[in-house]
Amino acid sequence: MEIVMAFQYLTNVPLEQAKKEYLELLVKNGMRGVPERIRVQDACGRVTACAVYAHICAPHYHASAMDGIAVQAGDTFGATQTTPVTLPPERYTVVDTGDPVPEHCDAVIMVEDLVKEEDGSVRLHDAAAPWQHIRQIGEDICAGEMILPAYTVVSPSAIGALLAGGVLELDVLKKPVVGIIPTGDEIILPTADPAPGDIIEFNSSIFSAMLREWGAEPLTFPIVPDRFDEIKAAVSEALSKCDIVILNAGSSAGREDYSAQVIRELGGVLYHGVAMKPGKPAILGYQGPKPVLGVPGYPVSGIIVIEQLLKPIIEAMTRRPVRQEETVRAQLSRPVVSGLKYEEFVRVRMGHVDGRLIATPLNRGSGVVSSFMKADGILVIPQGLEGHEAGSEVEIRLLRPKEELEHTLVAIGSHDPLLDELADLLHRGNAAYYMASTHTGSMGGIMAVRRRETHVAGIHLLDENDGTYNESYVRRYFPGGGVRLVECVGRTQGIMAEAGNPKQITGIESLASSDIRYVNRQKGSGTRILMDYLCKKHGLDTASIYGYEREEFTHTSVAAQIASGSADAGMGIYSAARMYGLAFIPVCTEQYDLLIPDSAWDTPFVQEMLEILRSREFAGKLEELGGYTLQSPGEVRCRF
Amino acid sequence: MEIVMAFQYLTNVPLEQAKKEYLELLVKNGMRGVPERIRVQDACGRVTACAVYAHICAPHYHASAMDGIAVQAGDTFGATQTTPVTLPPERYTVVDTGDPVPEHCDAVIMVEDLVKEEDGSVRLHDAAAPWQHIRQIGEDICAGEMILPAYTVVSPSAIGALLAGGVLELDVLKKPVVGIIPTGDEIILPTADPAPGDIIEFNSSIFSAMLREWGAEPLTFPIVPDRFDEIKAAVSEALSKCDIVILNAGSSAGREDYSAQVIRELGGVLYHGVAMKPGKPAILGYQGPKPVLGVPGYPVSGIIVIEQLLKPIIEAMTRRPVRQEETVRAQLSRPVVSGLKYEEFVRVRMGHVDGRLIATPLNRGSGVVSSFMKADGILVIPQGLEGHEAGSEVEIRLLRPKEELEHTLVAIGSHDPLLDELADLLHRGNAAYYMASTHTGSMGGIMAVRRRETHVAGIHLLDENDGTYNESYVRRYFPGGGVRLVECVGRTQGIMAEAGNPKQITGIESLASSDIRYVNRQKGSGTRILMDYLCKKHGLDTASIYGYEREEFTHTSVAAQIASGSADAGMGIYSAARMYGLAFIPVCTEQYDLLIPDSAWDTPFVQEMLEILRSREFAGKLEELGGYTLQSPGEVRCRF
């Protein structure tokens, strides 16, 4: 391998301009919706390609609207209570609802309004008005009438109206077929057992799902290695079969980047490089009227690029009504800094806490697909704006319905896998409730409660002076009270080590050895505070522990590092060690509690969560996880 | 045939009670969501049946986050601008973004930050921090972590997270299979050429589309004739194949009604008869945990019944989040009277006119499927309430997005097929604009403008005194001004008669003959006013015209009656006669104009409509329809 940089200068065209010019170019090149004829029964949700007219009337005959008899109204004129009219059998016909009214008849009399005589004639005490109780031809739809205009979404009841109007097939706009070409030498199909260096190709699955939601038809091609000719052949083939092509990865200006060149040779490139983040290296290419979009490899970049640049094109081709994006005003819990040179899309989590809607920016790494999954909304920071200060009110585009946010229990604080189980049980018990946890460590949880940003905070904070947990911290940080400390679980902390403990770690003292690579937790986490305390207690200089500055944010991620062999030891709870089959050297048992502000106490989901803490089902889940002890979970230990 | 009434007494249980008890009974009988295992790629929009955990970490190896070299951080300590460190080739490895970091390395240095020497070594002017530019194992997802809790809708990004976590399949809740059994001797499959008495079966197609939207899987069975044994066998078969059965039609207490008895024999009936309109004769039946719903035959009743009674059950089985129904406050343009004994569902059309949202009740006939298609919302009148007065503010459940209503041009007034073409052209030209016409006749249009309920009214009103059109009426009804009269078209009115004119109608005078059955337009329509005037002018007594009191609301429906043979003649415009291939005896040319209140003048869709009136495309459409003359369409004839 050689160190080479085939650097290409990317453009930095503003996103709105890029979108507009791209669409205009494609339309100019002849891009348009293509009609296809389908059965009416298959048309729900599809968009009409042209106006549809009724072929026949509905009803298509004069139908009785009642059970009774059909008569000629003239025969009944003069009938009253005192001067009834009697009709012989040949002057009336028995009809049921929906039956055709015989040609010579022009009124229906309900069965309740007549008296049947023994000789088969009927006696009437009321005259019939012409056309009474008859559904006349065309009452619902008249032949020749327009049932649906062009570019209209077909609804279930429109399907009924079309069939009633004798329309069996109609022209709708064809779903554009979008070819997706994954490229890259390291890319492999999804597997549960990848080798190091393999990169699981899941972008095409994400894009396919998005495209289907937008009314397009995805078609994923086999993975193409990073070779110019093969990529060119794949794009050529996709162009012959599809209306739109997505070339995934290889759109940055890195050394194995053939995308722009391939697209240029097969058609043209309007822009390579858009002033957006993530997604800057997007390639806006085309072959005649067909868009060929070069999409960066990182999933979050890819999602943003196809949403921003491809969705408007699909909307133009399918003529679906463009729904206004739902937005909310929310208050930023943290500052967000953005570059002046691009429009940035920041994923945020949101929570309704204490009467305010709070938005917290998520991990901005564009490789972190789970951050997109967890996002409740997108904060768009326009080009030319440096960001927002903490506390600013910002407009957020919603990724989840507003009502879900209103029913979401927000948990910010110390990590424990039991929080996920709690979230699962809460939502199982009541489909309207959700729980969203963010792992910031115990001190982060206390601060979030102080800043009124969370309904609950998991904390496990050791007071070095007396060996107690949590209470003294709460007292110190909430001198004015207003919070309750709720008992949750006792849990075992210890040193996690490679399975079989080959380095023969026996306790904290073993860690100050040059052949042991330690992985730590972040500052402010209860586990870090515990570790710092234990080192002090054992007279250990933390500088003598290799890797003490290497920080992870959860017990599981510490365990994952050890399991991968990139660290030999780390402090964490038993359940995490067990999850990864690691050796575990117990160090102490600590109290993990939940801190809940009074303002959240009476919310139905907090009360529901307390119920769950006390449930047998929750106890069972903890047993499965291992390393927990339960005394009286859900009880208020202290009210401050 | 015989006149028989096998009347069964129906219950009149309140709808909410019926819903609640039905669901409780089914759950008690064991109804529940059933898991099925599917590929992650197929899971978008499906609901997880249980919590899903990651199998592997993502990334599953330490991956370089940059193009550059991997090193051991310790080797670089001490490097500064003035004291560079040089690493020989064996102390570093070239890596690209995504490449695995070799086991002995714990930092990546970007290609931009190094200088390559001729001997293959690299010179560094900065120390590397341990773990810099490395995506550590589990940065995105840790093995063992819960990716999705139970009963969660799988999103596109969740698909990515699952695949990244090594999950290839997952358990989702199976889509309930809903068997639909259409019954009735007269029922036929959709056709463009039905015989009199045939009833086209389109309910199953409407229901199927609705069920698919709710996440269920419809399965329509062949049409079953009205025979007890055959219906019973069909329901039995459907129950063996489906989770839910809909038995369509035959649920009223009429004479050929076996539904309730069949369901009773195969399982049980909780209620037969619910206090709702439409939909009263619904049958809430079951076989163990499987709902068997008897649904009335009229399409609107059927739609309301399955939406009210079946949707909650499907929501319970599929655990999809129940979306809050979007509602708006609107002002009723007309009184709505409802019975005290039932909850009524009234379809309404809505329009944003002059700053208010106006709701107008539509045809309440439950056989009129087009009224459901045209409805913008549903007004629910609770049991025990007699209705609402005109002008009351009511809450309407939306059937169309609010933003569409805000962009809908409301046209109330005289009917002309050109209005549909106008609607088509308006929406084609700008996908955001819609047009909704209601046919109330010219005088109805004038009144709607006066009551500020419409943006535009088509009128063609003859002033008997001077033979002019429209102006004198507008002057009389808008003494304070505030409206503009816009020229639209000249059109030919005449007498429509059976093709070939077998009754040899030559003009108005021919109509006063006992062998000619006339069909009239409603009072207040311009065509009726014209006809009344012509009769007076010719000295004709309208009582001498057979059928003069038979009223239709549109030119096309008059034409449809004549084409069907149930009338011999009727007054109407040429385009309607031509549509039905009728004979046409021209009587006069009249001016059809558009009346537009000043308050609507500057709305973008009214301006767009005026553009269209002036367009060549519109002129072409009129040519196709026939019988129109154009002078300066879109010009303001008078401003009042």
Side-chain angles (χ1 to χ4, degrees):
Chain A
M1 270 202 275
E2 237 199 314
I3 308 172
V4 183
M5 277 282 293
F7 193 78
Q8 305 173 327
Y9 288 95
L10 299 186
T11 53
N12 195 48
V13 57
L15 176 57
E16 282 313 308
Q17 183 190 341
K19 275 187 198 184
K20 187 168 166 285
E21 292 183 12
Y22 196 27
L23 188 56
E24 283 170 358
L25 174 74
L26 292 165
V27 169
K28 204 191 84 197
N29 286 358
M31 188 189 80
R32 57 188 189 86
V34 179
E36 66 172 338
R37 178 147 290 214
I38 61 168
R39 292 194 331 146
V40 166
Q41 285 90 335
D42 301 326
C44 190
R46 300 297 293 272
V47 176
T48 53
C50 50
V52 188
Y53 300 83
H55 295 327
I56 58 173
C57 291
H60 59 281
Y61 61 93
H62 295 289
S64 177
M66 293 288 168
D67 293 348
I69 58 171
V71 299
Q72 226 178 319
D75 285 353
T76 72
F77 289 172
T80 66
Q81 283 306 312
T82 47
T83 60
V85 164
T86 300
L87 297 183
E90 65 276 14
R91 301 300 297 169
Y92 72 86
T93 308
V94 174
V95 285
D96 277 340
T97 304
D99 282 349
V101 175
E103 210 167 303
H104 58 280
C105 297
D106 64 1
V108 166
I109 298 168
M110 286 194 284
V111 68
E112 296 93 313
D113 293 339
L114 51 88
V115 179
K116 204 181 167 198
E117 305 285 4
E118 295 218 329
D119 62 356
S121 62
V122 293
R123 200 168 72 231
L124 309 170
H125 290 270
D126 243 330
W131 301 102
Q132 76 172 27
H133 302 321
I134 290 177
R135 293 189 65 208
Q136 292 193 44
I137 281 182
E139 178 191 291
D140 194 347
I141 294 158
C142 282
E145 258 183 15
M146 190 185 291
I147 299 179
L148 293 173
Y151 305 153
T152 303
V153 178
V154 180
S155 65
S157 52
I159 287 180
L162 290 165
L163 294 174
V167 179
L168 304 183
E169 293 184 327
L170 81 169
D171 285 339
V172 296
L173 292 173
K174 181 171 162 280
K175 294 182 179 199
V177 178
V178 184
I180 304 172
I181 305 172
T183 71
D185 291 331
E186 324 77 8
I187 303 294
I188 58 162
L189 290 176
T191 168
D193 188 23
D198 288 347
I199 295 175
I200 296 175
E201 198 290 291
F202 53 76
N203 284 356
S204 64
S205 303
I206 300 177
F207 299 165
S208 295
M210 293 169 76
L211 291 164
R212 276 192 204 101
E213 285 184 351
W214 302 336
E217 194 63 51
L219 177 62
T220 301
F221 287 83
I223 295 164
V224 182
D226 273 328
R227 279 205 293 282
F228 185 88
D229 290 340
E230 295 198 36
I231 294 173
K232 190 171 171 184
V235 175
S236 244
E237 191 202 344
L239 276 165
S240 74
K241 291 180 178 165
C242 305
D243 306 301
I244 297 172
V245 175
I246 292 175
L247 186 53
N248 192 212
S251 75
S252 88
R255 57 194 192 103
E256 285 169 354
D257 181 359
Y258 305 124
S259 297
Q261 196 48 39
V262 161
I263 300 173
R264 232 173 242 121
E265 290 191 11
L266 290 169
V269 168
L270 175 66
Y271 289 114
H272 184 187
V274 180
M276 63 191 292
K277 185 185 171 185
K280 178 163 175 37
I283 303 167
L284 282 61
Y286 57 92
Q287 186 191 60
K290 295 184 179 182
V292 184
L293 192 68
V295 172
Y298 276 136
V300 178
S301 313
I303 291 170
I304 300 281
V305 164
I306 74 158
E307 186 198 73
Q308 290 298 315
L309 291 163
L310 197 54
K311 193 173 170 215
I313 290 169
I314 290 173
E315 283 166 350
M317 290 176 83
T318 59
R319 292 278 188 155
R320 277 160 175 273
V322 179
R323 293 274 162 267
Q324 220 168 286
E325 286 170 337
E326 215 191 340
T327 60
V328 287
R329 307 285 303 174
Q331 201 178 320
L332 273 179
S333 66
R334 287 193 239 149
V336 184
V337 179
S338 179
L340 286 171
K341 284 197 181 155
Y342 45 78
E343 183 167 337
E344 183 162 6
F345 297 82
V346 181
R347 288 141 280 154
V348 300
R349 266 200 140 166
M350 287 194 274
H352 265 280
V353 184
D354 204 5
R356 303 162 315 152
L357 185 58
I358 306 288
T360 303
L362 282 158
N363 187 327
R364 281 150 98 177
S366 57
V368 182
V369 67
S370 64
S371 77
F372 207 101
M373 176 182 72
K374 285 175 186 160
D376 300 315
I378 302 270
L379 166 64
V380 181
I381 302 174
Q383 193 172 352
L385 200 70
E386 280 189 290
H388 299 280
E389 292 177 11
S392 332
E393 201 184 271
V394 292
E395 178 135 326
I396 307 277
R397 168 156 63 90
L398 283 174
L399 296 175
R400 280 172 68 201
K402 209 156 71 178
E403 62 210 81
E404 278 189 26
L405 291 178
E406 285 161 10
H407 293 107
T408 297
L409 173 61
V410 178
I412 300 178
S414 170
H415 170 250
D416 193 295
L418 74 79
L419 293 171
D420 287 336
E421 300 301 334
L422 219 45
D424 184 47
L425 291 171
L426 184 76
H427 185 59
R428 267 173 185 279
N430 187 328
Y433 296 156
Y434 301 84
M435 179 168 163
S437 325
T438 306
H439 314 313
T440 61
S442 296
M443 284 310 299
I446 281 188
M447 292 308 161
V449 173
R450 273 168 60 115
R451 290 194 304 261
R452 298 158 53 219
E453 291 172 0
T454 187
H455 298 118
V456 53
I459 58 171
H460 58 116
L461 289 161
L462 171 68
D463 185 333
E464 297 186 12
N465 301 314
D466 55 10
T468 61
Y469 273 87
N470 302 331
E471 279 187 44
S472 63
Y473 283 81
V474 177
R475 193 160 284 119
R476 192 179 331 145
Y477 284 97
F478 297 90
V483 291
R484 287 170 234 208
L485 188 63
V486 172
E487 183 173 327
C488 188
V489 295
R491 58 181 200 181
T492 310
Q493 285 271 18
I495 299 167
M496 303 188 273
E498 198 184 329
N501 196 8
K503 304 249 165 153
Q504 300 190 312
I505 295 163
T506 55
I508 299 293
E509 317 82 65
S510 321
L511 301 177
S513 151
S514 64
D515 80 326
I516 291 179
R517 294 163 302 159
Y518 187 72
V519 53
N520 213 343
R521 287 291 306 281
Q522 85 277 21
K523 293 171 202 79
S525 69
T527 304
R528 175 63 170 266
I529 290 171
L530 174 66
M531 183 64 189
D532 289 348
Y533 165 73
L534 290 171
C535 289
K536 204 160 76 180
K537 192 173 142 192
H538 288 86
L540 244 63
D541 177 6
T542 58
S544 67
I545 300 177
Y546 183 89
Y548 205 79
E549 67 294 336
R550 181 177 174 196
E551 296 184 351
E552 293 287 334
F553 277 74
T554 64
H555 297 281
T556 26
S557 55
V558 169
Q561 305 313 317
I562 299 165
S564 79
S566 84
D568 301 307
M571 175 74 79
I573 54 174
Y574 175 72
S575 59
R578 173 160 155 180
M579 209 176 265
Y580 283 79
L582 300 177
F584 186 77
I585 302 97
V587 169
C588 65
T589 296
E590 62 172 13
Q591 186 62 31
Y592 181 89
D593 290 329
L594 301 178
L595 182 64
I596 301 175
D598 288 349
S599 61
W601 187 260
D602 287 321
T603 56
F605 38 74
V606 164
Q607 286 302 314
E608 182 85 22
M609 180 198 69
L610 295 171
E611 282 295 323
I612 293 167
L613 284 180
R614 298 177 201 119
S615 70
R616 288 215 50 74
E617 207 171 0
F618 179 63
K621 286 282 178 192
L622 293 184
E623 191 126 341
E624 282 173 39
L625 288 170
Y628 295 98
T629 53
L630 285 172
Q631 292 216 349
S632 30
E635 294 295 298
V636 177
R637 274 159 44 96
C638 299
R639 188 172 174 176
F640 297 86
Chain B
M1 272 203 276
E2 236 199 318
I3 308 170
V4 184
M5 278 285 291
F7 193 77
Q8 305 171 328
Y9 288 95
L10 300 186
T11 54
N12 194 48
V13 58
L15 176 57
E16 282 312 308
Q17 182 189 339
K19 275 187 196 181
K20 187 167 167 284
E21 292 183 13
Y22 196 27
L23 188 57
E24 282 171 359
L25 174 76
L26 293 165
V27 169
K28 205 191 83 197
N29 287 359
M31 186 188 81
R32 59 189 187 84
V34 179
E36 66 172 336
R37 177 146 291 214
I38 61 169
R39 290 191 335 144
V40 166
Q41 286 90 334
D42 300 327
C44 189
R46 302 295 294 270
V47 177
T48 54
C50 50
V52 188
Y53 300 84
H55 296 325
I56 58 174
C57 290
H60 59 281
Y61 61 94
H62 295 289
S64 176
M66 294 288 168
D67 293 350
I69 58 169
V71 299
Q72 230 179 315
D75 286 354
T76 71
F77 290 170
T80 67
Q81 284 305 313
T82 48
T83 60
V85 164
T86 300
L87 297 184
E90 64 274 19
R91 301 300 296 167
Y92 71 87
T93 309
V94 175
V95 285
D96 277 341
T97 304
D99 282 349
V101 175
E103 211 167 305
H104 58 278
C105 297
D106 63 0
V108 165
I109 297 167
M110 286 193 285
V111 71
E112 296 93 312
D113 294 340
L114 50 87
V115 179
K116 206 181 166 197
E117 306 285 4
E118 296 219 331
D119 62 356
S121 63
V122 294
R123 197 168 75 234
L124 308 171
H125 292 268
D126 243 330
W131 301 102
Q132 78 173 25
H133 303 321
I134 291 177
R135 293 189 64 209
Q136 293 194 45
I137 282 182
E139 178 191 292
D140 194 349
I141 293 159
C142 282
E145 259 183 15
M146 189 183 291
I147 298 178
L148 293 173
Y151 305 153
T152 302
V153 178
V154 179
S155 65
S157 53
I159 287 179
L162 289 165
L163 294 173
V167 179
L168 303 182
E169 292 184 330
L170 81 168
D171 286 337
V172 296
L173 292 174
K174 182 171 160 281
K175 294 184 179 196
V177 179
V178 183
I180 303 172
I181 306 172
T183 72
D185 291 331
E186 322 76 7
I187 303 295
I188 58 162
L189 290 176
T191 169
D193 188 22
D198 287 347
I199 295 175
I200 295 174
E201 199 290 292
F202 53 76
N203 284 356
S204 64
S205 303
I206 301 177
F207 299 165
S208 295
M210 294 169 75
L211 290 163
R212 278 192 203 101
E213 286 184 351
W214 302 337
E217 194 62 53
L219 177 61
T220 300
F221 287 83
I223 295 164
V224 182
D226 272 328
R227 279 204 294 282
F228 186 87
D229 290 340
E230 296 198 36
I231 295 174
K232 190 172 172 182
V235 176
S236 245
E237 191 202 343
L239 276 165
S240 73
K241 292 179 177 164
C242 307
D243 305 300
I244 296 172
V245 175
I246 291 174
L247 185 53
N248 191 215
S251 75
S252 85
R255 60 198 186 95
E256 284 168 357
D257 180 0
Y258 305 123
S259 298
Q261 194 49 36
V262 161
I263 300 173
R264 231 172 242 122
E265 289 190 12
L266 291 169
V269 169
L270 175 65
Y271 289 114
H272 183 187
V274 180
M276 65 192 290
K277 183 182 173 183
K280 179 164 176 35
I283 304 168
L284 281 64
Y286 57 92
Q287 188 191 59
K290 295 184 179 183
V292 184
L293 192 68
V295 171
Y298 275 136
V300 179
S301 313
I303 291 170
I304 300 280
V305 164
I306 75 159
E307 185 198 72
Q308 289 297 315
L309 292 162
L310 198 54
K311 194 174 170 215
I313 291 169
I314 290 172
E315 283 167 349
M317 290 177 84
T318 57
R319 292 277 189 155
R320 275 158 177 271
V322 179
R323 292 275 164 267
Q324 222 168 282
E325 286 170 337
E326 215 191 338
T327 60
V328 288
R329 306 285 302 174
Q331 199 176 320
L332 273 180
S333 65
R334 286 192 240 148
V336 184
V337 179
S338 177
L340 287 170
K341 284 197 180 157
Y342 45 78
E343 185 166 336
E344 183 160 6
F345 297 82
V346 181
R347 286 141 282 151
V348 299
R349 267 202 139 162
M350 286 192 277
H352 265 281
V353 183
D354 203 6
R356 305 161 314 151
L357 185 58
I358 305 287
T360 302
L362 282 160
N363 186 328
R364 282 150 96 177
S366 57
V368 182
V369 68
S370 63
S371 77
F372 207 101
M373 177 183 71
K374 286 176 186 160
D376 300 314
I378 301 269
L379 166 64
V380 181
I381 303 174
Q383 195 172 350
L385 200 70
E386 280 186 291
H388 298 281
E389 291 175 14
S392 332
E393 201 183 272
V394 290
E395 180 135 326
I396 307 276
R397 167 155 65 89
L398 283 174
L399 297 176
R400 280 171 68 201
K402 210 157 67 177
E403 63 213 78
E404 280 190 23
L405 291 178
E406 285 161 10
H407 295 107
T408 297
L409 172 63
V410 178
I412 301 178
S414 171
H415 169 251
D416 193 297
L418 75 81
L419 293 171
D420 287 337
E421 301 300 334
L422 218 45
D424 184 47
L425 292 171
L426 183 76
H427 184 60
R428 267 174 184 278
N430 186 328
Y433 295 156
Y434 301 85
M435 178 168 163
S437 326
T438 306
H439 314 314
T440 62
S442 295
M443 284 309 300
I446 283 190
M447 292 307 159
V449 173
R450 274 168 60 114
R451 289 192 306 259
R452 299 157 53 219
E453 292 171 359
T454 188
H455 298 119
V456 52
I459 59 170
H460 58 116
L461 289 162
L462 171 69
D463 186 332
E464 296 186 14
N465 301 314
D466 56 10
T468 62
Y469 273 88
N470 302 331
E471 281 188 43
S472 63
Y473 283 82
V474 177
R475 195 159 282 123
R476 193 180 329 148
Y477 284 97
F478 297 92
V483 291
R484 284 169 236 210
L485 188 62
V486 172
E487 183 173 326
C488 188
V489 294
R491 58 182 199 180
T492 311
Q493 285 270 19
I495 299 167
M496 304 189 269
E498 198 183 330
N501 195 7
K503 302 247 168 156
Q504 300 189 313
I505 295 164
T506 53
I508 299 293
E509 318 81 67
S510 320
L511 301 176
S513 151
S514 63
D515 80 325
I516 291 180
R517 292 162 305 158
Y518 187 72
V519 53
N520 213 343
R521 287 290 305 283
Q522 86 277 19
K523 291 170 205 79
S525 69
T527 304
R528 174 64 169 264
I529 290 170
L530 174 66
M531 182 63 189
D532 289 347
Y533 164 72
L534 290 172
C535 288
K536 206 161 74 177
K537 191 174 143 192
H538 289 86
L540 244 61
D541 178 7
T542 58
S544 68
I545 300 177
Y546 184 88
Y548 205 78
E549 67 292 337
R550 183 178 174 194
E551 296 184 351
E552 292 287 335
F553 277 74
T554 65
H555 296 281
T556 25
S557 55
V558 168
Q561 304 314 316
I562 299 166
S564 79
S566 84
D568 301 306
M571 175 75 78
I573 54 175
Y574 175 72
S575 60
R578 174 161 154 179
M579 207 177 267
Y580 283 78
L582 299 177
F584 186 76
I585 301 96
V587 169
C588 65
T589 296
E590 62 173 14
Q591 185 61 31
Y592 182 90
D593 289 329
L594 301 177
L595 182 65
I596 302 176
D598 288 348
S599 60
W601 187 260
D602 286 323
T603 56
F605 37 74
V606 163
Q607 287 302 315
E608 183 84 23
M609 180 197 70
L610 295 172
E611 282 296 324
I612 294 169
L613 283 181
R614 298 179 201 117
S615 70
R616 287 217 51 77
E617 208 172 358
F618 180 63
K621 286 282 178 192
L622 292 184
E623 191 126 344
E624 281 173 40
L625 287 170
Y628 296 96
T629 53
L630 286 172
Q631 293 218 348
S632 31
E635 294 296 298
V636 177
R637 277 161 41 95
C638 300
R639 190 173 172 177
F640 298 87

